[in-house]
Amino acid sequence: MKKLFLFLFVALLSATAAMAMKPNMQFGVDYDYSSKGGNSGFGFQLEYQFLDNLRISPEFIYSCEKGDAGHFTNVNINLQYVIDSHVGFNVYPMAGFAYVNAKGDVNKCGANVGCGVEFNIGRNFALYTEETFQMVDHATRFITGVGLKYAF
């Protein structure tokens, strides 16, 4: 429980520091597929760009139950380095922290590494896909996400 409170405190502190810098923001909703148990679900993220190519992305994912795999609730905080192609899409490698609640009784902290691509479809919208390798004790898995972002 102490780890959870420490994780949430760091997440809140990070988000507050990022907002104080008046960043560019994006809100994304996505469909996620987990390699562990074949669970699928939904998620959302709020991205704060606080330097030219650097942004922080708090994220929440809920994976629905499939068979005996149970459900997963994820709270992630990823740091993304945005590489602008200048032709309508961006690539971003990412790394961060993960908190996973599995089947309602397993609470674990871990790490994320991955990469994403976003395709601009207008002034404020982008389609995106992400592949994340989540390293958590007894819940290590790949998470594939596809979604839509709105910039404001």
Side-chain angles (χ1 to χ4, degrees):
M1 193 63 153
K2 290 179 184 179
K3 287 181 183 179
L4 173 61
F5 285 125
L6 178 62
F7 182 81
L8 293 175
F9 175 75
V10 170
L12 181 62
L13 185 63
S14 298
T16 303
M19 285 192 299
M21 296 179 202
K22 297 185 181 177
N24 297 324
M25 292 187 254
Q26 295 184 86
F27 176 76
V29 293
D30 53 55
Y31 167 80
D32 297 289
Y33 177 79
S34 170
S35 65
K36 186 165 184 96
N39 289 2
S40 61
F42 62 91
F44 63 89
Q45 59 183 273
L46 186 61
E47 298 173 344
Y48 306 101
Q49 188 154 348
F50 58 93
L51 294 176
D52 287 339
N53 293 60
L54 203 58
R55 64 186 178 200
I56 191 166
S57 177
E59 175 182 37
F60 174 82
I61 299 172
Y62 179 81
S63 297
C64 304
E65 187 171 333
K66 179 178 181 183
D68 64 350
H71 71 274
F72 286 89
T73 303
N74 286 296
V75 177
N76 303 312
I77 298 177
N78 294 314
L79 196 60
Q80 302 172 345
Y81 182 79
V82 182
I83 303 166
D84 190 352
S85 71
H86 301 291
V87 290
F89 71 93
N90 300 323
V91 177
Y92 51 95
M94 62 184 173
F97 299 101
Y99 166 75
V100 176
N101 177 287
K103 298 183 184 178
D105 62 351
V106 177
N107 297 300
K108 300 285 183 178
C109 291
N112 296 322
V113 293
C115 188
V117 178
E118 55 191 18
F119 301 94
N120 299 324
I121 56 170
R123 182 179 171 112
N124 293 340
F125 290 95
L127 291 173
Y128 71 99
T129 184
E130 293 179 352
E131 185 68 31
T132 306
F133 180 59
Q134 190 171 69
M135 298 165 282
V136 177
D137 189 30
H138 300 294
T140 297
R141 64 209 172 117
F142 284 96
I143 300 172
T144 304
V146 177
L148 179 68
K149 292 181 184 178
Y150 173 74
F152 56 97

